[in-house]
Amino acid sequence: MPKAKASAHKKIMDSSFGLVIILVLLIGCSAFFSATETAYSSLNRIRIKNLAKEGNKKALLVERLSLDYDKLLSTILIGNNIVNILASSLATVLFVQYFGNAGVTISTIVMTILVLIFGEISPKSLAKEQPEGYAIAVSKIVVVLQFILTPINYLFGLWKKLLGKLFKSKNDSGITEEELLTIVDEAQSGGEIDADESDLIKSAIEFNDLEAGDILTPRIDVCALELNTSTEEIIEMFLESGFSRLPVYRDTIDNIIGVVHQKDLFHLIQKNSGGNIEEIISPVIYVSPSISISELIRVLQNSKSHFAVVIDEYGGTDGILTLEDILEELVGEIWDEHDKVVENISELSDGIYEILGGTDLDDFLKLMDEKPGDDDPNTVSGWVMEKLGKMPELGDTFEYNGHHIYVIEMENRRVAKIKVKILQNK
């Protein structure tokens, strides 16, 4: 009898050892499926696509698997559930052998801890660190598993179609402009791109949203020549303004007939000091304020022109636009060696700024961490006039969302400069 008991005990020990080995393998499989799910859901698809273009066959396989993500996810979840259920069942058998009825409770507690630590949290954390490398490493194994589980995947595919018909939803898989801007912010915060690259990408994304009316030089600031202006006066205007091109009008600035280039003027003078500037007037392009600047830049390129006149709804001159104005929307202010650098926004002290009236309203509101309204003017000067509800005067002040605004300089009837005290810890 003692021999029989010893033999039975030995068999239990042998079977228990086998069960433990199987449990370890099953938890390892659970870790594999968990890590695979994390890797394929968080990998950088652009990086994988670039690797595939460079000839990496496994990266190409990963790209193909990612394209049918539903089938991939179904394979991973089916496999993970199979190994987890099987592991729990074997653990229950093992613990019942040693602890009787209490083995079920003990098995549940132990397996929950083991699966959470070694089958879920740890592998997912590790896969998150190098998702592309892990996805590439296991790509062939995933393909084999997909083939083995094809019948089950097919059934789940039918089930998904049924659910899709029962619960119809708008499938908008496109990326919005706001999402793109968020991606750029995340790339900058992650160190993949620097602040200058981030600003350039954001400007390019928002480029098509801008219209000619948003960035034109307003009529009141346009430096233009009357057709009958003398050559001496024209030379003086070129020297004072520093511009290489000046619009030419007949009788009134609402009737701009062309543009004169400084180079053409000096050639005319060199040939014949008594020449008429009508000989060197180049034709000008007329556009509406609503034309997008992305379309306008194509118009300027096709016409080989650097200059456009923006016409208002009455046919008069609303303002002018140059190719440089458009480029500055992408790369920021462009100064040459003859320009006098003017800062639109100057910090006087902590939280107190001096703002020029012609500053773009979006830049000013961004400084105060505010958002512009759909009907807001383009410049700070127009915004101040709108908020005051009257013609601004020197010394006018008002409050906007806790920020204090002071009019400190006027130019004719326009606000030339304001001072703003920004509300701290808003």
Side-chain angles (χ1 to χ4, degrees), residues 387-408:
K387 295 304 176 186
L388 286 172
K390 67 180 185 69
M391 191 61 65
E393 295 178 6
L394 186 64
D396 279 341
T397 181
F398 64 94
E399 188 175 300
Y400 176 73
N401 291 349
H403 311 290
H404 296 281
I405 316 294
Y406 308 88
V407 178
I408 60 174

Side-chain angles (χ1 to χ4, degrees), residues 80 104 122 151 311 341 366 372 400:
N80 203 18
V104 176
S122 298
I311 302 300
V341 178
K366 192 182 295 181
Y400 176 73

Side-chain angles (χ1 to χ4, degrees), residues 336-351:
D336 61 33
E337 61 273 21
H338 302 296
D339 286 335
K340 181 181 178 182
V341 178
V342 178
E343 294 291 341
N344 287 327
I345 299 175
S346 304
E347 187 172 10
L348 302 178
S349 60
D350 187 28

Side-chain angles (χ1 to χ4, degrees), residues 28-96:
C29 290
S30 177
F32 164 79
F33 285 116
S34 297
T36 303
E37 179 186 356
T38 299
Y40 275 89
S41 62
S42 59
L43 59 78
N44 187 323
R45 284 169 175 76
I46 296 173
R47 192 172 299 161
I48 290 295
K49 186 171 288 188
N50 287 335
L51 287 172
K53 286 181 180 179
E54 292 171 3
N56 189 320
K57 293 182 179 179
K58 287 188 177 180
L60 181 61
L61 189 57
V62 171
E63 185 182 5
R64 289 174 181 170
L65 288 169
S66 300
L67 289 175
D68 193 357
Y69 187 72
D70 288 341
K71 184 178 179 181
L72 172 67
L73 184 61
S74 176
T75 300
I76 293 170
L77 293 178
I78 292 168
N80 203 18
N81 278 282
I82 288 173
V83 297
N84 284 340
I85 292 169
L86 187 56
S88 298
S89 302
L90 291 179
T92 302
V93 172
L94 178 64
F95 281 95
V96 166

Side-chain angles (χ1 to χ4, degrees), residues 221 240-241 243 324 328 332-347 354-360 363 409 411 416-417:
D221 291 329
E240 287 181 359
S241 67
F243 298 135
E324 183 176 302
E328 284 179 343
E333 291 292 334
I334 301 173
W335 307 100
D336 61 33
E337 61 273 21
H338 302 296
D339 286 335
K340 181 181 178 182
V341 178
V342 178
E343 294 291 341
N344 287 327
I345 299 175
S346 304
E347 187 172 10
E354 196 173 80
I355 317 291
L356 298 185
T359 302
D360 186 272
D363 295 336
E409 188 177 319
E411 187 177 291
K417 194 180 293 182

